Amino acid sequence: MAEAGTGCMVWSWTYLWTVWFFLVLFLVYILRVPLRINANLSTVSMFLNTLTPKFYVALTGTSSLISGLILIFEWWYFRKYGTSFIEQVSVSHLRPLLGGVDNNTTSNSNTSNGDADSSRQNVSECKVWRNPLNLFRGAEYNRYTWVTGREPLTYYDMNLSAQDHQTFFTCDTDHVRPADAIMQKAWRERNPQARISAAHEALELTECATAFILLAEEESTTIVEAEKLFKQALKAGEGCYRRSQQLQHHGAQYEAQHRRDTNVLVYIKRRLAMCARKLGRTREAVKMMRDLMKEFPLLSMFNIHENLLEALLELQAYADVQAVLAKYDDISLPKSATICYTAALLKARAVSDKFSPEAASRRGLSTAEMNAVEAIHRAVEFNPHVPKYLLEMKSLILPPEHILKRGDSEAIAYAFFHLQHWKRVEGALNLLHCTWEGTFRMIPYPLEKGHLFYPYPICTETADRELLPSFHEVSVYPKKELPFFILFTAGLCSFTAMLALLTHQFPELMGVFAKAFLSTLFAPLNFVMEKVESILPSSLWHQLTRI
C-alpha cells in the first residue's frame, strides 16, 4: 500500500512539473527573447527560435490534455471517497518527510478524560445495527431485483446478516442434532440456492424451526407464503423452547441451547407480527408486539418497540405512541431516528395545522410552536439526512438490512416506513420544511461539538457506502467543499487549453500581449540588474556571468 502511495505521489508531482515545463516553453516561443548570458544559452535560444508554432501549440495542448485527465480522475475519486487524491497522498507521504505529525499516530498519555469519553462515544455511534424493520429477501428484495435488475443489498450488508443468523440461530450443541448441524452449515453458505436446498434437506429429517425461517425469508415470493412458513416455524420453535427451558439449569451447554431457542422464538414471533402489519392486520400486529415485549422484556436487541411505534402511528393511536416514547425516549437509553423524529411528529401535530411562517415571524412563536421547533431541531441534529427524504428532495430506495445510527442508511430506513405518517398529519411537512435548516446555525462545527448530542461521527459516510447499493448517491454531512487540487487542476486545464487555442489562431497578437505582460512583470528586476551592472566593475561582472 505504501509503495502504491509513493508511486502516486511521484506521478502527481511529475504531472505538475510537466505542466509548468510546457508553460515555460510556451513563453519562450512567444517572446523569442535572445538570451545574452553566455554562448551556450544563446545556442539554446537559437534552437528554440527555429521551432514552428505547431510545436508549441502541441505542447500546450498536451498540457491541457494531461490536466483534463487528472481533473477527471480527481473528480471521480472525490465523488467515490469524499477526498482529494493528491491531497491525501501529500498528507500521507509529504508531511512525514517535512517533519509534520501523522494523524494516525497514537495520542500521548496526557489525553483528557473528556476526549477519551468522546472517542468511545464516536466508536459506539459508528456501530452497525440490525434494521428492526428490515424487509423479506424473497418476498420484497428479490422481487425488486426481478423487476429492476438491480441488487438492493450489498455484499457487506448480506455478510453482516449471515453473521447475525449464525449468532442467533446456532449453538455449540448443534452437531448433536443432524437437522441443526445441516442448518449450521446452511447459514454459512454464500449461495442462496445452496442455503435453500440445505433447509429442505433439514426438513426431511425433522420439523426444524430455523429451516422454516430460512425458507420464509428467502424462498417465499409473497408475504402470505412467508407467514405460512413462519407459523410452521412457530409450532416447531415453541416445542424446542419448552424442552430447553426445562433443562437450562443442567449445564452450560443446555443454557446456550435455551438461549438459542429463545432467540429463534422471539425472531419468529416478531416476523409474524411484521407479516400481519404488511397484510393490513395492524391491530393484530400491535397485540403480538405488545405480548412479545411483555414475555421477553430483556431482549432489547431486536428493538421491537420501533416496530410497535410504526404500527401505532398507522392506527393513529397517538396517545399510545406517546406512552411508548415516554418509556424509551430516556436520556440513559440509546436514541434512534425513529424515536427522535416520532417525538418531533407528535409535537408538530399539535401546531402544524395552523402554523404559518409569515404569522410566526410577525407575532413570534408560541410555547407549543417553540416546543415543536425544538423537537425538530433535536431530531435533525441526531440524523440530518432524514428531512431530505421526508420532503422528497431525494429519492428513496429499499432500506438495507443493517443501518448506521445517525447515517444515511438509518435515514432511508426511517423515511421508507414513516413518510406516510408525516403526510397524514396536516401541515407537519410544511413545519419541517420551514424549520429544519435552522438546526445547522446552532451547530456550526458538528464534527467538533454538538448541541444536544455528541459531535457527529466522521465514520458514517464510509460505513454507509458499504451498506448502501452503488446506484444510490450517499448523503454526506457536513457537506464537503471541493478540494483545492480539483479547482487548481480545472483552472490549469482551462488556462492551458485557452493558450493553445489563442496561440494557434492569433500567434502574432499573443506574442504582443505576452511581451507586454512580461515586460511589465520583470521591469523592477531589469531596473535592479541595470543598477548592479553600473555599480560593479565590468571585469567582476564578466567573471560572475562565467560562473
Side-chain angles (χ1 to χ4, degrees), residues 307-518:
N307 299 82
L308 179 61
L309 284 173
E310 195 278 327
L312 290 173
L313 287 173
E314 178 64 21
L315 294 175
Q316 301 184 42
Y318 297 112
D320 293 335
V321 173
Q322 185 61 57
V324 175
L325 286 178
K327 181 178 180 181
Y328 289 96
D329 192 5
D330 186 82
I331 191 172
S332 62
L333 298 176
K335 299 294 182 292
S336 67
T338 300
I339 289 177
C340 293
Y341 277 90
T342 302
L345 177 61
L346 292 187
K347 292 189 177 180
R349 176 176 170 269
V351 299
S352 59
D353 57 337
K354 300 178 182 179
F355 178 77
S356 171
E358 293 80 11
S361 62
R362 290 195 305 268
R363 59 173 171 78
L365 295 175
S366 64
T367 303
E369 290 173 339
M370 183 65 70
N371 291 335
V373 172
E374 289 178 353
I376 290 176
H377 287 174
R378 170 179 177 260
V380 173
E381 181 184 355
F382 182 82
N383 193 316
H385 309 282
V386 172
K388 288 187 177 181
Y389 294 106
L390 293 180
L391 298 173
E392 298 180 270
M393 300 166 64
K394 284 197 69 175
S395 59
L396 276 171
I397 61 171
L398 294 185
E401 292 183 339
H402 290 80
I403 60 174
L404 184 69
K405 288 191 175 183
R406 307 187 73 179
D408 192 28
S409 52
E410 184 192 35
I412 292 172
Y414 172 80
F416 185 86
F417 294 99
H418 289 261
L419 176 58
Q420 56 180 333
H421 306 316
W422 279 82
K423 287 184 176 180
R424 189 177 292 122
V425 177
E426 182 182 357
L429 290 176
N430 177 50
L431 180 60
L432 177 67
H433 174 72
C434 296
T435 57
W436 74 280
E437 291 181 333
T439 309
F440 306 131
R441 290 193 291 270
M442 299 187 300
I443 44 174
Y445 305 104
L447 299 179
E448 301 175 7
K449 184 179 180 181
H451 180 61
L452 297 174
F453 298 99
Y454 282 92
Y456 189 79
I458 61 176
C459 61
T460 55
E461 181 184 356
T462 303
D464 280 333
R465 290 185 189 278
E466 295 288 338
L467 289 171
L468 298 173
S470 58
F471 58 81
H472 172 72
E473 183 180 353
V474 176
S475 178
V476 178
Y477 176 80
K479 190 174 181 180
K480 297 181 179 179
E481 298 180 356
L482 284 177
F484 164 76
F485 272 103
I486 289 184
L487 301 176
F488 173 75
T489 310
L492 196 58
C493 176
S494 304
F495 178 67
T496 52
M498 182 184 64
L499 284 182
L501 179 62
L502 293 178
T503 305
H504 182 265
Q505 295 292 332
F506 313 103
E508 299 298 334
L509 185 60
M510 284 296 295
V512 173
F513 278 118
K515 288 177 182 178
F517 173 74
L518 288 185

Side-chain angles (χ1 to χ4, degrees), residues 94-102:
L94 289 183
R95 179 178 292 181
L97 295 177
L98 297 176
V101 179
D102 191 359

Side-chain angles (χ1 to χ4, degrees), residues 71 124 152 156 182 188 198 235 270 348 351 398 484 489 507-508 511:
L71 174 62
S124 65
Y156 176 68
I182 293 174
R188 296 194 182 102
K235 183 179 179 181
R270 172 175 162 269
V351 299
L398 294 185
F484 164 76
T489 310
E508 299 298 334

Side-chain angles (χ1 to χ4, degrees), residues 29-30 36 79 103 129 136 160 197 211 234 248 284 309 321 354 394 403 453 468 470 473 504-505 520 528 530 536:
Y29 160 70
I30 289 295
R36 300 174 297 173
R79 292 298 299 270
N103 291 334
W129 299 75
F136 293 83
L160 291 175
S197 300
L234 178 62
Q248 62 176 318
E284 178 185 345
L309 284 173
V321 173
K354 300 178 182 179
K394 284 197 69 175
I403 60 174
F453 298 99
L468 298 173
S470 58
E473 183 180 353
H504 182 265
Q505 295 292 332
T520 305
V528 173
E530 290 176 359
L536 294 177

Side-chain angles (χ1 to χ4, degrees), residues 18-31:
T18 303
V19 170
W20 285 113
F21 175 71
F22 286 163
L23 290 178
V24 169
L25 289 180
F26 169 79
L27 292 176
V28 170
Y29 160 70
I30 289 295
L31 295 176

